[in-house]
Amino acid sequence: MNRRILAVSLIVCTVISLFSFKVFGTSDVKTFERVDFISGIVNANELNLRNGPSMDSEIIGTFKRHKWVNVLAEIGDWYAVFDPESGKVGCVAKQYLIRSDSVPQQKVTPQQPAKTPAKTPAATPVPTKTATPTPAPEQPQTTDLSQNEKLLLDLINKERAKNNIPALQPDPELMKIARIKAKDMVDNNYFSHYSPTYGSPFDMMRQFGISFKAAAENIAGNSTVQGAVNSWMGSQGHRANILNSSYNYTGIGIAESNKYGYVFVQMFIKK
């Protein structure tokens, strides 16, 4: 059975400078102001994306309720936004977009296994001399990767090496988040950067205590690891994330999916 293959890229830079915007068809020059958050969620049934901060500006797209977008800046009653799925940049009415960090996120507490009553050990003879074992040297904490996770990381780093870009290092905490995101996508049957459980990737990273200067996320649905990487490298947005030399740490999550074979999540951060 042919499996559907999907891939979506996401990139955001956390530093946004002030800039000027000229409204098409007028001589007004308006200045966008810096915002102190990264993403926003549409809270109207439909929200028009316009090519300027005015109701007279041309409509270049339409967003549905719960759509997630990057918020670049604000100007009066408008936000300048970037849609990672279409690649479009435009303006939306401020009143119909809410900050994603103002939406309460459901926090999931891992279930602890039930405690089994301890059994009383049978009596054993006491030896006359007890050898004192030599304590093993403490090993540094490492990130344990599954076979598929290691393969994906190796393939990604090979692409970076071809372009003389340093290899990405797996971050243990970011690995946990990427795995949770992949499982969440399968369990809740969605394919999107915005999770109904955790919000945007950036909200999710913050929720789990990850600090970053810049971040990005690639997601894909594919039957093989190589197929997922091929689809990413064939897409301008995904390729840009993979070959971005600013990112130095990554997290990878892979979950089995009846729809795609596997769902892949790769998160990138710059520390």
Side-chain angles (χ1 to χ4, degrees), residues 148-168:
N148 278 342
E149 290 168 349
K150 185 178 185 304
L151 175 59
L152 191 145
L153 180 60
D154 288 344
L155 291 174
I156 293 297
N157 280 336
K158 284 181 181 178
E159 296 295 341
R160 290 171 68 91
K162 291 177 186 177
N163 293 270
N164 298 317
I165 301 172
L168 291 167

Side-chain angles (χ1 to χ4, degrees), residues 5-221:
I5 300 175
L6 292 176
V8 182
S9 68
L10 172 67
I11 182 170
V12 66
C13 181
T14 58
V15 179
I16 302 172
S17 58
L18 299 179
F19 60 96
S20 295
F21 185 94
K22 186 172 182 179
V23 181
F24 293 101
T26 75
S27 59
D28 294 336
V29 176
K30 299 183 178 181
T31 301
F32 283 85
E33 302 293 336
R34 188 189 308 271
V35 293
D36 60 356
F37 61 102
I38 293 176
S39 55
I41 305 170
V42 175
N43 66 343
N45 290 333
E46 289 190 350
L47 178 60
N48 290 327
L49 177 68
R50 298 179 181 271
N51 66 358
S54 166
M55 293 298 290
D56 296 328
S57 299
E58 179 185 355
I59 297 174
I60 58 175
T62 303
F63 299 144
K64 300 294 185 180
R65 183 180 293 273
H66 304 309
K67 169 70 176 178
W68 171 87
V69 293
N70 284 351
V71 180
L72 305 177
E74 68 175 304
I75 177 172
D77 295 329
W78 297 81
Y79 283 131
V81 300
F82 167 67
D83 175 21
E85 293 186 6
S86 67
K88 293 181 179 180
V89 175
C91 294
V92 297
K94 196 174 178 180
Q95 69 188 93
Y96 301 117
L97 196 73
I98 59 174
R99 297 171 55 137
S100 60
D101 58 9
S102 68
V103 179
Q105 303 299 333
Q106 175 185 350
K107 294 190 176 181
V108 179
T109 303
Q111 294 183 350
Q112 299 296 327
K115 294 184 178 179
T116 304
K119 295 181 179 179
T120 303
T124 56
V126 179
T128 56
K129 292 184 180 180
T130 303
T132 303
T134 303
E138 186 176 350
Q139 298 295 325
Q141 183 179 4
T142 59
T143 303
D144 295 325
L145 304 181
S146 70
Q147 183 177 353
N148 278 342
E149 290 168 349
K150 185 178 185 304
L151 175 59
L152 191 145
L153 180 60
D154 288 344
L155 291 174
I156 293 297
N157 280 336
K158 284 181 181 178
E159 296 295 341
R160 290 171 68 91
K162 291 177 186 177
N163 293 270
N164 298 317
I165 301 172
L168 291 167
Q169 299 298 319
D171 180 272
E173 294 306 312
L174 199 59
M175 287 292 302
K176 293 178 185 177
I177 298 173
R179 288 164 178 163
I180 292 172
K181 174 67 178 288
K183 187 176 185 300
D184 184 57
M185 288 173 63
V186 172
D187 290 347
N188 291 297
N189 193 29
Y190 72 93
F191 189 87
S192 172
H193 292 294
Y194 184 82
S195 162
T197 309
Y198 303 102
S200 76
F202 316 110
D203 300 326
M204 188 174 183
M205 290 178 194
R206 292 192 186 96
Q207 180 179 331
F208 283 88
I210 298 293
S211 299
F212 57 89
K213 296 178 181 177
E217 178 186 74
N218 283 354
I219 59 176

Side-chain angles (χ1 to χ4, degrees), residues 204-269:
M204 188 174 183
M205 290 178 194
R206 292 192 186 96
Q207 180 179 331
F208 283 88
I210 298 293
S211 299
F212 57 89
K213 296 178 181 177
E217 178 186 74
N218 283 354
I219 59 176
N222 207 297
S223 58
T224 66
V225 176
Q226 184 69 67
V229 173
N230 289 345
S231 67
W232 284 342
M233 292 304 296
S235 164
Q236 183 177 358
H238 299 87
R239 182 184 178 89
N241 285 346
I242 291 169
L243 300 183
N244 189 327
S245 60
S246 296
Y247 300 129
N248 46 14
Y249 290 92
T250 189
I252 297 168
I254 303 174
E256 291 188 12
S257 164
N258 292 331
K259 186 180 295 185
Y260 308 113
Y262 296 95
V263 164
F264 299 86
V265 174
Q266 183 169 21
M267 294 179 170
F268 309 80
I269 60 171

